[in-house]
Amino acid sequence: MKLPSGVQAQVQRHLLGVLMRGLVPAVAGLLLCSACATTRNHQSNAGPTITVEASLKRTEHLIAAYDEVQSILEDPGFAENLKKLDGYPLATSADTDCRTTTASEVLTALRSRLPTHRLESRYSLFHPFSTAATTVCASTSVNTRRIDFWEQTNPRQRGTLINTLAHEMTHLLPGGETACSSASNGAYTDAGHDACAADAAQCNDAFLVSYVWGDLVECAYREKQGVIPKGEFHSCFLGLVNSSDVSRTTLTPAFKQPSDACKNIKKWSAETP
């Protein structure tokens, strides 16, 4: 039934009023949240100085997680675990610029070439559909919902933020000796990214440096926190691919017009190479 034009106008004004009453407080809240952000420079025991911009609580969370990542990168035991995995070639991207490297080479790069950078929080109205974090040159923005995982006492939950920060750190490394000038000229990119899923046998993110690195560091954190027994690092790493439903031993690389080097990346074995 079509409403009279006068009634339609009243309904439209009412709906607009309801929308504005909800929207104005929401926008005001976001502005207040932004206004109460703090900016702090932080020097970890290892690694470069970082600038953190977030609320006071989230600044503490980001610094604590960053320090955990740095302590893992400096751990000799972590380096030994990586040497056992160097038989698995890692892809620097998933497109025609793809090159191969090893986990040990990535560790060396992160220890020696990680630049001074910025960590900041990013609120998204579209979470969980938005990405956990993004990095452009020397600045990483982390979704506030991901940062808040650190409030959990369960190390498995905290490991999610560890994974995210470790992943984004790989994007901070410049492709050459000069500082980055765009989002795509870093040493390790997600160009050509094709996500893994429990119902898909093919993907490439499980073989990209950035995704592999996040899982490696998260497994080291799990072992450090006693979530997994000592000696289970390898099996943790093989199984941790965005979901506990899939494993690198069952996934097949699906690169998009890669270089000849990356065409040779194969499905991984359940045994240490």
Side-chain angles (χ1 to χ4, degrees), residues 92-158:
T92 59
S93 68
D95 59 8
T96 53
D97 293 327
C98 181
R99 295 173 290 104
T100 58
T101 186
T102 66
S104 292
E105 289 173 343
V106 176
L107 177 63
T108 298
L110 283 167
R111 283 178 169 178
S112 61
R113 298 201 299 121
L114 186 65
T116 297
H117 58 278
R118 183 184 189 86
L119 285 177
E120 59 187 16
S121 64
R122 178 193 65 202
Y123 180 79
S124 174
L125 291 171
F126 300 102
H127 190 87
F129 303 105
S130 60
T131 57
T134 55
T135 294
V136 178
C137 294
S139 180
T140 295
S141 299
V142 186
N143 195 302
T144 54
R145 294 287 291 275
R146 184 53 56 96
I147 299 171
D148 292 345
F149 275 117
W150 201 256
E151 295 180 357
Q152 306 295 324
T153 57
N154 185 342
R156 283 184 179 273
Q157 294 292 327
R158 289 189 166 191

Side-chain angles (χ1 to χ4, degrees), residues 206-270:
F207 308 92
L208 288 172
V209 166
S210 56
Y211 287 90
V212 170
W213 195 254
D215 289 349
L216 286 170
V217 177
E218 180 175 354
C219 284
Y221 178 74
R222 287 187 178 191
E223 188 175 53
K224 181 179 178 181
Q225 298 298 320
V227 175
I228 60 174
K230 292 289 184 182
E232 293 296 317
F233 175 85
H234 184 70
S235 59
C236 172
F237 158 69
L238 286 178
L240 193 60
V241 188
N242 298 336
S243 163
S244 59
D245 298 328
V246 294
S247 169
R248 288 177 168 89
T249 62
T250 60
L251 293 167
T252 302
F255 295 109
K256 301 172 182 178
Q257 299 180 332
S259 65
D260 289 338
C262 289
K263 287 179 182 177
N264 294 325
I265 295 179
K266 307 296 183 184
K267 183 185 299 185
W268 293 344
S269 168

Side-chain angles (χ1 to χ4, degrees), residues 17-175:
V18 171
L19 177 62
M20 293 304 296
R21 285 196 296 274
L23 183 61
V24 170
V27 172
L30 288 176
L31 292 175
L32 285 173
C33 181
S34 175
C36 67
T38 63
T39 301
R40 186 190 308 180
N41 292 329
H42 173 70
Q43 175 65 61
S44 184
N45 291 331
T49 299
I50 60 172
T51 300
V52 182
E53 183 171 336
S55 68
L56 182 60
K57 181 172 66 173
R58 289 184 176 124
T59 294
E60 296 293 343
H61 294 343
L62 285 171
I63 287 175
Y66 174 79
D67 285 349
E68 283 286 353
V69 173
Q70 287 297 337
S71 69
I72 290 169
L73 299 188
E74 295 300 315
D75 182 0
F78 180 62
E80 288 301 314
N81 278 330
L82 296 191
K83 288 179 182 178
K84 299 174 185 177
L85 299 174
D86 281 346
Y88 294 135
L90 307 181
T92 59
S93 68
D95 59 8
T96 53
D97 293 327
C98 181
R99 295 173 290 104
T100 58
T101 186
T102 66
S104 292
E105 289 173 343
V106 176
L107 177 63
T108 298
L110 283 167
R111 283 178 169 178
S112 61
R113 298 201 299 121
L114 186 65
T116 297
H117 58 278
R118 183 184 189 86
L119 285 177
E120 59 187 16
S121 64
R122 178 193 65 202
Y123 180 79
S124 174
L125 291 171
F126 300 102
H127 190 87
F129 303 105
S130 60
T131 57
T134 55
T135 294
V136 178
C137 294
S139 180
T140 295
S141 299
V142 186
N143 195 302
T144 54
R145 294 287 291 275
R146 184 53 56 96
I147 299 171
D148 292 345
F149 275 117
W150 201 256
E151 295 180 357
Q152 306 295 324
T153 57
N154 185 342
R156 283 184 179 273
Q157 294 292 327
R158 289 189 166 191
T160 305
L161 179 56
I162 293 287
N163 192 316
T164 296
L165 290 184
H167 171 111
E168 297 302 328
M169 279 183 184
T170 66
H171 295 326
L172 290 165
L173 289 169

